[in-house]
Amino acid sequence: MSLKTETAGTQVGKKFEAICKNLLCGGLAGMVSKSAVAPMDRVKILLQAHSRHHRAHGVFSGFKHVVRREGLLALYK
């Protein structure tokens, strides 16, 4: 009887460990993807707003303009 209880407890522990690993991996993947896409979203929004400061810029020149004018961290606003 105690072998069945130990086996069931071990299985529950393994399932919990797998769930925790999946949550951690999913959280890290979300952080990395959001950090990679944020600068592109910032430039996209600036180009969509059609302000007079960004009217003549394309995507790459928009990146350069934002970094020169406001600094690298401005891409993460």
Side-chain angles (χ1 to χ4, degrees), residues 10-30:
T10 306
Q11 289 176 352
V12 170
K14 287 182 181 179
K15 286 181 183 179
F16 181 73
E17 185 178 332
I19 289 171
C20 289
K21 283 182 182 179
N22 284 334
L23 286 173
L24 180 66
C25 290
L28 287 173

Side-chain angles (χ1 to χ4, degrees), residues 1-74:
M1 191 107 151
S2 72
L3 287 176
K4 289 182 182 178
T5 307
E6 288 178 16
T7 305
T10 306
Q11 289 176 352
V12 170
K14 287 182 181 179
K15 286 181 183 179
F16 181 73
E17 185 178 332
I19 289 171
C20 289
K21 283 182 182 179
N22 284 334
L23 286 173
L24 180 66
C25 290
L28 287 173
M31 289 172 21
V32 168
S33 67
K34 187 64 176 171
S35 296
V37 172
M40 292 180 270
D41 278 342
R42 168 89 166 128
V43 173
K44 177 187 77 170
I45 290 169
L46 290 173
L47 293 174
Q48 285 176 344
H50 297 294
S51 70
R52 62 184 175 94
H53 300 291
H54 302 285
R55 184 173 294 154
H57 296 290
V59 176
F60 294 111
S61 61
F63 275 110
K64 289 183 207 174
H65 180 75
V66 170
V67 170
R68 267 192 238 129
R69 192 162 185 222
E70 301 177 40
L72 186 64
L73 292 178

